[in-house]
Amino acid sequence: MNTYTQQVNQARILTKNSSRIVAFSGAGVSTESGLSDFRSKGGLWERYRIVTFQEFLASHDNRVEYWSMRRELIPGLLAAKPNPAHHALAKLEAEGKLQCIITQNIDGLHQSAGNKKVIELHGTNMTASCLTCKQQWSIIDIQERLESGDLDPHCDECNGLIKPDTVSFGQSMPVEAMELAYQAAASCDLLFMIGSSLEVQPANQFPLVAHQGGASLIFINRTVTPYDHLATVSFTESASKVMSILTE
Ligand SMILES: [Zn+2]
């Protein structure tokens, strides 16, 4: 029996015997649905500068720059479909074993797969809101406005600025979501860390918190992470491949 088979068997047993599972998903889960990680080379993110939240607020020209990039980004997000890793997590929630997903992804694909308990640390790109009166729109409606040439959309009600419900650079992380995420990680019996290289905060705090709480950890990422030594089992593999096998 090779090491990979042993790892699979061990991870399957852990999954089977755990009843309070929490999953953390990073960009690696989305890339398997064809969405590019903004850190990766090539494509959209290299042609546009990152517009911070403060810059977005500061001028019309900055907002036009911001929305020009979004107008190119949104159709891909809307067309993306959940992959087998998303479906595996939906199955675990349907079985009552998965407590919640903590995600850094903004594409709504966990919800598309059927998960209801999703903590979105970076918000969502599926909706946009007025920064003043909080009225909310589907991103589909906003995309129509962008395509009609309105590259600095304002609220119909109060003329406030409209912005996607994502957490932008320079914007603070949502306090309530962060608290819920830490509580979930601290009280789970098994944490899946999927598709994150764990190089930035707060992602890299969750394995520590879960480990301190006595949970087992299963890591699935294409590359090794600085926290692999905490993992009960770690796979340097595709998330879709491993999650499908573990939840068969
Ligand atoms: Zn408004």
Side-chain angles (χ1 to χ4, degrees), residues 7 17 20 25 35 37 39 55 67 69 81 98 110 133 138 169 173 176 180 190 193 202-203 215 219 237:
Q7 285 184 305
N17 293 342
R20 300 188 317 280
S25 72
L35 297 169
D37 182 352
R39 292 185 196 87
E55 288 168 338
W67 281 114
M69 192 276 259
K81 298 273 185 294
L98 183 79
H110 287 302
C133 76
S138 160
F169 286 89
M173 303 279 275
E176 193 187 351
L180 286 172
L190 172 62
M193 291 293 312
F219 282 18
E237 286 279 353

Side-chain angles (χ1 to χ4, degrees), residues 130-135 137 154-161:
C130 170
L131 292 178
T132 306
C133 76
K134 309 300 175 197
Q135 187 179 336
W137 295 266
H154 283 59
C155 178
D156 320 310
E157 295 295 320
C158 77
N159 203 38
L161 301 179

Side-chain angles (χ1 to χ4, degrees), residues 30-42:
S30 294
T31 55
E32 291 186 23
S33 284
L35 297 169
S36 66
D37 182 352
F38 69 86
R39 292 185 196 87
S40 63
K41 291 243 179 291

Side-chain angles (χ1 to χ4, degrees), residues 27 29-31 33-38 44-45 66-67 69-83 86 104-112 120 122-128 138-140 143 146-147 164-166:
V29 177
S30 294
T31 55
S33 284
L35 297 169
S36 66
D37 182 352
F38 69 86
L44 191 57
W45 294 93
Y66 176 93
W67 281 114
M69 192 276 259
R70 292 282 149 172
R71 189 178 65 167
E72 283 195 58
L73 177 74
I74 291 165
L77 283 168
L78 291 173
K81 298 273 185 294
N83 63 55
H86 295 107
Q104 291 182 303
N105 302 329
I106 56 163
D107 48 45
L109 289 177
H110 287 302
Q111 290 90 334
S112 301
E120 294 173 309
H122 293 178
T124 178
N125 202 58
M126 294 296 102
T127 55
S138 160
I139 204 70
I140 296 168
Q143 181 69 5
L146 300 176
E147 284 176 2
D165 293 329
T166 51

